[in-house]
Amino acid sequence: MSLPWWPPRLRTDACAVLQLEPSLESSPRHYSARHLRAKHGGRHLAPPQEPWRAERRSGDAFSPPCREPAGKSCRSPASACPPAVPIVAWRRCPGPALRSLRDHPERACLPGCASPAPPGHPPSRGRLPWGRGDRFPPPPVSRRSDWQRRQEAAEADAASDASVNGALPRREARCALAPILPLRPGARAAGPAGRMRPWPPSLLLLLLPLLWWGLPAARGRHYPHSAVLDGASRYRLSWAPQGGSIAFRLEVRTRGYVGLGFSPTGAMASADLALGGVDGGTPYLQDYFTTEDRTLKKDSQQDYHLEHAMENSTHTILAFSRQLHTCDSNDKRITESTVRVIWAYHDKDFREGGPNYHGLNRGTKSLRLLNPDKTAILSSSLPYFDLINQDVPIPDKDTTYWCQMFKIPALHGKHHVIKVDPLIQKGHESLVHHILLYQCSSSLNDSVLDYGHECYHPNMPDSFMTCETVIFAWAIGGEGFTYPPHVGLSIGTAADPQYVLMEVHYDNPSYLEGMRDNSGLRLFYTSDLRRYDAGVIEAGLWVSLYHNIPPGMPEFMSEGHCTLECLEEALEAEKPSGIHVFAVLLHAHLAGRAIRIRHFRKLHEQQLLAYDDDYDFNFQEFQHLKEERTILPGDNLVTECHYSTLDRSRMTWGGLSTRNEMCLSYLLYYPRINLTRCASIPDIVEQLQFIGVKQIYRPVRTWPFIIKSPKQYKNLSFVDAMNKFKWTKEQGLSYNDFVLKLQVTVRCTKTDNAEWMIQGMMATLPEIERPYVAEQAICTLNSSSICLNCNLFLTLMIALYIATTTPRNSMSFA
């Protein structure tokens, strides 16, 4: 939270105490209290030319540095800093540092404070050390008696000794705000008998919450999430969502500016940015945005609030926060969807209109900033086994699906897999697009382990066809997955998988030759059984040519239905009380822009089960749900996928290639039931009626089947006919509405290729509202407004107290 603004006669300075982060490679210079007293004749003065680059350690008292003009000494506080003034109020600069600051008011001189203005000149204006507010000249200095000087020296020695003896723990360092009150004209300083009357306890209790509210919160904040954004580990981002706001911490190997932003595409156009650093000892942070032509502009509504800043000889650290939804059209709203984070840094500090281009020190990374923290601390001694491909040759073609059979290690009794990590060969991070693990028939033998083969190929071994039940899924950009503490993937019993098929999708759009891959999965397991066995349901659109999208469409929506008929039949037979979904993986290909899972119960829509309104093909991972969702018999789940085909001149078809499309969701749930697929597909013959097809040749002997009439499509496959049709944007929108109203064929399967009775039957879809209407975001009062209001009230309270307690002709200070 940024520091408050104070009126001219109530100036604020900050206690410049910084905490050195242990992860940095080198430390700033460090000065002890005794060293400074010996060097500067007993006065507590900071070494020159070290603004904001100091460290509180448990054995030191630190004096904020004095900023003096070039060529002048810092031995005299009057040489460049404002004259000493009494301090009558302060905040959270604990222990000896507070007493020293109180009793040595010349130490309130900080980088960025104004020098006294010459008589008759207006006060100088500029930024306070934290980059907000105005600077004003200090009031006249009061004379101190010999008694006061002796008392100050004794208390300073006591404070220094207490600090050396460890009175201040390292983590207690906080920034202090010291309102500095001027003497009234003609007032005289008094001796020990003339101390100002103490504030009433009732008034202090009233002001304490307001004082605390204005304090930065970065010091004791815990950041549960972190990611290295660049390949050289020079830029680390940590973050902590909390209520309606989110806090960030940047640790970057540079002494110039650092930038963090959010972009709809991962590029600089239309981005929301925060730029900051430490310039000459003064921290700064500003809210910027870019236009569609990538022009950088300063935002009139500053929604990023600096909490902590530090720079040493190698790194810059910034901690700041913002609201998730700022109600500023130039800011990007942060939701549970994928966020494309953009980052940059420079070896020089940022200058308005200056040469600020970052060059190659930039990048983008997709993250899910609001994904709940479900990472459990697991024992490092957990047993595991690996399922890894061995030197798989990658053909020089766009898409390859490779299937390899594995046998689960023989175990004595039931065990639970509780964590799965991807093992992606170094350098193949963009080549391995996703990995699916299928349970295969228990009637197989070890002969199926001899070799792998390309999946979905006419010569694929028959044993591969028995592997239909998905038990785990990983996709590009995702990390390891840890099951909740009450759930595990069961292995080791007769009902559990003995043979598994690992399907790896290789994406090779550059048609590179001669590559071999050794990627796979590592599964950690335990004999300490969890309460429930986990299962996976594949829901959405059946992958086939029946799923199609016209070219040139800025927006096209497809729906896959896990119908109430399928869920009712399976759950009534297996688990009438329902199943509990705890994580979801949403899956589409390159044209995908957004995916949602809508949940209906008795035709009434529930809260979204999961969604990603900024879907990124290169970043797919399981989303842990904030709260587990119960699915009951008769519920209906709709996987809703949004696509853009503006860059395509031909139809996009459902299929396995990354240039084809999918619309799938994988639901991780418990307890496990005998349901592996719950999907649908619209009828293709009815779809062809939209372009005027009247007849097809029957019986169907070829695939894709051939059209008989009308004449313009005769003897064409339905794929060629759809490509021949002259699609316009208006026709594409009409076709979209037409397809969404068609009946669907139900896919409802068990393990071992068995089927539920509803499999293959036609189902009429419930009437649902389209498009989905998201809840309106609620704008929250930003923290700067809150801080301003509370500090204005605080200012009025202080002024009122002074007005009622000050004698008419004099004001005394100790």
Side-chain angles (χ1 to χ4, degrees):
M1 186 176 295
S2 53
L3 296 187
W5 173 89
W6 297 88
R9 293 180 65 82
L10 193 58
R11 182 171 62 86
T12 58
D13 286 328
C15 172
V17 179
L18 296 178
Q19 173 68 46
L20 182 67
E21 300 297 330
S23 59
L24 299 184
E25 296 183 5
S26 60
S27 302
R29 293 180 63 186
H30 158 69
Y31 303 88
S32 70
R34 287 194 175 95
H35 168 77
L36 294 176
R37 285 201 305 273
K39 185 175 180 181
H40 296 291
R43 288 192 295 272
H44 282 257
L45 301 177
Q49 299 177 355
E50 287 288 331
W52 284 85
R53 295 182 57 197
E55 173 191 14
R56 170 166 297 287
R57 298 185 178 179
S58 60
D60 303 299
F62 168 69
S63 301
C66 172
R67 172 182 281 180
E68 69 285 357
K72 291 201 174 184
S73 170
C74 197
R75 293 181 178 275
S76 170
S79 63
C81 299
V85 292
I87 297 175
V88 297
W90 52 85
R91 294 188 219 168
R92 298 195 72 201
C93 188
L98 177 61
R99 293 196 297 271
S100 183
L101 184 63
R102 178 191 64 196
D103 298 321
H104 294 270
E106 68 271 14
R107 297 180 62 196
C109 169
L110 288 177
C113 61
S115 299
H121 287 71
S124 60
R125 297 181 63 84
R127 294 184 303 178
L128 285 173
W130 285 77
R132 294 179 65 88
D134 296 332
R135 293 185 295 188
F136 300 92
V141 63
S142 62
R143 295 182 179 275
R144 291 174 293 171
S145 64
D146 292 338
W147 176 89
Q148 285 177 294
R149 295 182 186 279
R150 289 193 300 271
Q151 186 74 9
E152 289 169 356
E155 291 187 15
D157 289 339
S160 175
D161 293 339
S163 176
V164 170
N165 291 330
L168 271 181
R170 181 182 174 113
R171 281 290 175 190
E172 289 184 4
R174 290 276 181 168
C175 190
L177 306 180
I180 301 179
L181 302 180
L183 287 174
R184 298 180 58 189
R188 296 192 314 168
R195 290 183 179 271
M196 186 175 180
R197 285 180 289 172
W199 289 32
S202 59
L203 182 59
L204 291 175
L205 289 175
L206 177 65
L207 298 181
L208 184 60
L210 298 175
L211 289 167
W212 182 267
W213 202 353
L215 288 173
R219 281 292 177 187
R221 191 187 298 277
H222 169 61
Y223 297 89
H225 308 279
S226 67
V228 175
L229 302 189
D230 66 325
S233 300
R234 297 175 64 93
Y235 197 122
R236 174 175 288 276
L237 167 68
S238 303
W239 68 95
Q242 185 173 11
S245 65
I246 185 169
F248 299 99
R249 181 182 182 276
L250 311 181
E251 181 180 316
V252 187
R253 190 177 178 85
T254 184
R255 298 194 64 203
Y257 79 78
V258 298
L260 181 75
F262 312 104
S263 164
T265 63
M268 277 293 291
S270 304
D272 172 19
L273 302 167
L275 299 175
V278 181
D279 186 3
T282 302
Y284 63 94
L285 184 76
Q286 298 290 345
D287 186 354
Y288 286 86
F289 68 95
T290 57
T291 59
E292 290 184 357
D293 61 357
R294 301 189 300 176
T295 301
L296 183 67
K297 294 187 176 183
K298 189 174 181 179
D299 201 333
S300 59
Q301 179 177 318
Q302 293 288 304
D303 293 305
Y304 291 87
H305 307 292
L306 187 63
E307 295 180 349
H308 171 63
M310 176 185 169
E311 180 183 87
N312 72 351
S313 61
T314 59
H315 285 72
T316 295
I317 291 178
L318 296 180
F320 54 93
S321 61
R322 57 157 282 182
Q323 297 295 314
L324 298 178
H325 183 38
T326 64
C327 301
D328 181 355
S329 59
N330 297 320
D331 291 344
K332 180 173 175 57
R333 182 184 174 198
I334 297 176
T335 68
E336 295 177 22
S337 298
T338 297
V339 178
R340 290 171 172 84
V341 177
I342 58 176
W343 56 270
Y345 63 91
H346 198 282
D347 59 354
K348 304 293 183 183
D349 281 295
F350 187 81
R351 297 286 188 273
E352 291 281 356
N356 300 310
Y357 183 61
H358 42 63
L360 297 178
N361 299 324
R362 61 172 174 80
T364 180
K365 187 177 181 67
S366 290
L367 297 169
R368 191 163 283 113
L369 297 177
L370 300 188
N371 201 13
D373 183 20
K374 298 291 185 180
T375 302
I377 299 176
L378 303 177
S379 171
S380 59
S381 60
L382 273 178
Y384 63 86
F385 58 91
D386 295 339
L387 307 176
I388 300 179
N389 283 329
Q390 299 294 325
D391 290 328
V392 172
I394 311 301
D396 56 340
K397 62 179 183 178
D398 178 78
T399 299
T400 301
Y401 281 79
W402 185 263
C403 286
Q404 175 71 53
M405 198 78 77
F406 294 91
K407 186 175 183 179
I408 299 296
L411 301 172
H412 298 289
K414 182 173 181 174
H415 290 69
H416 270 144
V417 173
I418 58 176
K419 183 180 181 182
V420 183
D421 279 344
L423 300 176
I424 308 302
Q425 182 175 328
K426 188 175 182 180
H428 288 192
E429 291 80 6
S430 61
L431 178 68
V432 181
H433 180 263
H434 73 248
I435 302 175
L436 294 179
L437 200 61
Y438 294 89
Q439 178 176 346
C440 302
S441 171
S442 57
S443 62
L444 299 177
N445 56 54
D446 289 356
S447 64
V448 301
L449 304 176
D450 292 341
Y451 61 93
H453 199 280
E454 191 170 343
C455 313
Y456 313 108
H457 191 276
N459 296 328
M460 183 177 71
D462 292 340
S463 59
F464 288 11
M465 303 297 293
T466 70
C467 309
E468 287 288 327
T469 303
V470 177
I471 59 175
F472 185 75
W474 172 89
I476 187 170
E479 298 180 353
F481 181 80
T482 302
Y483 287 84
H486 56 295
V487 185
L489 175 63
S490 179
I491 56 175
T493 73
D496 296 329
Q498 300 179 38
Y499 296 91
V500 294
L501 179 76
M502 187 172 73
E503 172 190 293
V504 182
H505 173 192
Y506 293 108
D507 185 28
N508 185 17
S510 300
Y511 299 92
L512 300 176
E513 299 180 355
M515 291 189 298
R516 291 184 174 271
D517 182 64
N518 296 273
S519 299
L521 299 172
R522 173 167 292 174
L523 287 75
F524 295 85
Y525 62 94
T526 179
S527 58
D528 186 10
L529 298 182
R530 306 290 177 87
R531 183 176 180 182
Y532 300 105
D533 295 341
V536 181
I537 296 175
E538 180 184 284
L541 263 173
W542 180 264
V543 180
S544 76
L545 294 176
Y546 288 25
H547 177 208
N548 50 75
I549 307 167
M553 297 299 297
E555 168 75 16
F556 191 91
M557 185 174 73
S558 300
E559 290 179 348
H561 293 261
C562 178
T563 63
L564 61 89
E565 293 88 352
C566 178
L567 287 174
E568 188 164 38
E569 182 182 3
L571 289 174
E572 286 289 1
E574 296 273 328
K575 193 67 177 178
S577 60
I579 57 175
H580 307 279
V581 179
F582 59 88
V584 174
L585 174 68
L586 305 174
H587 184 66
H589 285 173
L590 288 171
R593 296 296 181 267
I595 309 177
R596 303 186 185 106
I597 305 179
R598 301 174 70 174
H599 180 197
F600 295 85
R601 177 166 296 159
K602 297 180 180 179
L603 304 182
H604 295 289
E605 184 157 14
Q606 312 295 301
Q607 187 179 4
L608 284 177
L609 182 63
Y611 70 94
D612 190 345
D613 290 337
D614 291 293
Y615 176 79
D616 184 353
F617 170 75
N618 293 310
F619 177 70
Q620 302 176 54
E621 66 175 1
F622 273 107
Q623 299 181 35
H624 286 278
L625 303 186
K626 289 184 177 179
E627 296 181 356
E628 295 177 355
R629 182 70 63 87
T630 301
I631 308 299
L632 297 175
D635 284 5
N636 186 39
L637 301 178
V638 180
T639 303
E640 179 184 287
C641 298
H642 295 253
Y643 305 96
S644 173
T645 58
L646 281 173
D647 59 343
R648 302 188 181 189
S649 58
R650 297 173 66 83
M651 292 289 292
T652 298
W653 301 93
L656 302 176
S657 169
T658 55
R659 295 290 295 178
N660 298 139
E661 268 310 327
M662 294 184 179
C663 180
L664 295 173
S665 55
Y666 294 92
L667 313 180
L668 278 177
Y669 72 94
Y670 69 88
R672 182 178 62 184
I673 62 174
N674 196 5
L675 176 64
T676 62
R677 182 173 287 112
C678 184
S680 69
I681 194 69
D683 185 75
I684 188 61
V685 175
E686 292 189 56
Q687 294 180 63
L688 291 173
Q689 292 176 3
F690 183 85
I691 65 171
V693 172
K694 297 179 179 179
Q695 286 183 302
I696 65 172
Y697 285 104
R698 296 184 185 275
V700 175
R701 292 186 173 91
T702 61
W703 183 257
F705 56 74
I706 305 300
I707 295 172
K708 186 174 183 180
S709 67
K711 185 176 180 179
Q712 68 263 33
Y713 300 132
K714 186 173 182 179
N715 295 328
L716 293 179
S717 71
F718 74 83
V719 172
D720 293 333
M722 293 286 272
N723 279 321
K724 183 177 180 180
F725 184 76
K726 303 297 183 182
W727 291 98
T728 66
K729 179 180 177 182
E730 291 71 22
Q731 289 169 328
L733 292 173
S734 298
Y735 178 67
N736 200 172
D737 293 337
F738 176 77
V739 171
L740 292 176
K741 296 175 183 177
L742 296 178
Q743 286 187 318
V744 297
T745 302
V746 176
R747 293 288 185 264
C748 191
T749 60
K750 306 177 182 180
T751 57
D752 290 339
N753 281 328
E755 300 174 350
W756 290 98
M757 292 291 294
I758 191 66
Q759 167 82 6
M761 299 182 66
M762 300 296 293
T764 301
L765 303 178
E767 292 186 5
I768 61 177
E769 183 178 2
R770 298 187 182 96
Y772 173 80
V773 179
E775 294 182 6
Q776 292 295 320
I778 299 176
C779 297
T780 54
L781 184 65
N782 69 51
S783 57
S784 60
S785 300
I786 295 173
C787 188
L788 175 61
N789 291 336
C790 78
N791 282 293
L792 287 176
F793 176 75
L794 177 61
T795 301
L796 291 175
M797 293 296 295
I798 295 174
L800 177 63
Y801 176 74
I802 294 171
T804 57
T805 58
T806 303
R808 179 174 296 272
N809 295 322
S810 65
M811 187 179 200
S812 59
F813 292 86

